[in-house]
Amino acid sequence: MAGRNQTAITEFLLQGLPIESERKNLFYALFLVMYVTTVLGNLLIIFLIRLDSQLHTPMYLFLSNLSFSDLCFSSVTMPKLLQNMQSQVPSIPYTGCLTQMYFFLFFGDLESFLLVAMAYDRYVAICFPLHYTTIMSPKLCLSLVALSWGLTTLHAMLHTLLMARLCFCADNVIPHFFCDMSALLKLSCSDTQVNELVIFIMGGLILVIPFLLILTSYARIVSSILKVPSARGIRKAFSTCGSHMAVVSLFYGTVIGLYLCPSADNSTVKDMVMAMMYTVVTPMLNPFIYSLRNRDMKGALGRVFCRKKTPFSV
Ligand SMILES: *[C@@H]1O[C@H](CO)[C@@H](O)[C@H](O)[C@H]1NC(C)=O
């Protein structure tokens, strides 16, 4: 092929985080603890919801999907980051880099679509409590999850295929801790105009539309509560939507902070800190936000572990 001359590179070097060498072990331990917490916390949520039949409601099935997506999202970047912190040559093969980019986009989008499904679920639960079980049927829930998977596959595929067209010639040092799409575009020696246009348009759609849908469902929840204002109604709305609102603010807060306040200079450090926020901190906190202040989850924890303690019950 014309574009692939002899100097076409087969691997990239991930420069990683700008950490001084004497603090490297401290940060390594910190990231390892954070990653292990993310994995265990999310696995606990998935198992609790699977094992406890009282949690087989749309809200918890979506939550279990969200936990799965969080778990995978942070597994896309963290193990490689931890491995690279220990190795002399932090390299990643070309195909590995595109694969990482694909799954990063995939699970990042999936999270955003699942948050929309969860907002819709809360909207139906509060505005149409009597029709809740008929509207949120298992079929609709499954369709919403399947739709999320479909859309996110298409979106991640689109960007990955567009990236695979590009040539990379001389420079193969990525100033980031994972194969970030915009960092890769800066390295390419092809024309990246089409890629940038698609990122701009799709990025807008993928972030803005889910965010507007979530805002709409919350606006409706608030207006339905204000129609019949009662302390009980407000408390009920807060207890069912509070955790979801916290997760939404955490997710969109970091993403919007990253994209609406781009660094003026070429400071990649701020980008990396923000990327650290939503690849590591958000997936780690989600299980805690849901389980610590949620009576159902605590009840399930008790039920599942007490049942385990009675031996020979079969
Ligand atoms: C995701 O949601 C679907 C539909 O509600 C459910 O059937 C499925 O078990 C969930 N998946 C996980 C991993 O919880």
Side-chain angles (χ1 to χ4, degrees), residues 46 50 58 61-62 64-65 68 138 141-142 145:
I46 295 173
R50 176 115 315 171
L61 289 177
F62 288 138
S64 153
N65 276 278
F68 174 72
C141 294
L142 206 58
V145 172

Side-chain angles (χ1 to χ4, degrees), residues 140-212:
L140 179 71
C141 294
L142 206 58
S143 315
L144 286 176
V145 172
L147 183 68
S148 305
W149 278 74
L151 287 177
T152 190
T153 305
L154 286 180
H155 182 233
M157 196 56 106
L158 174 68
H159 285 303
T160 311
L161 290 179
L162 281 177
M163 186 64 77
R165 284 170 49 240
L166 301 181
C167 299
F168 295 89
C169 322
D171 194 3
N172 71 338
V173 180
I174 301 175
H176 215 301
F177 66 90
F178 66 97
C179 288
D180 179 55
M181 195 159 53
S182 56
L184 276 175
L185 282 185
K186 284 189 197 130
L187 289 187
S188 168
C189 49
S190 318
D191 182 12
T192 58
Q193 251 174 10
V194 178
N195 296 58
E196 274 155 25
L197 188 69
V198 173
I199 290 177
F200 182 72
I201 296 172
M202 295 305 284
L205 292 179
I206 290 281
L207 281 179
V208 172
I209 292 180
F211 189 57
L212 289 182

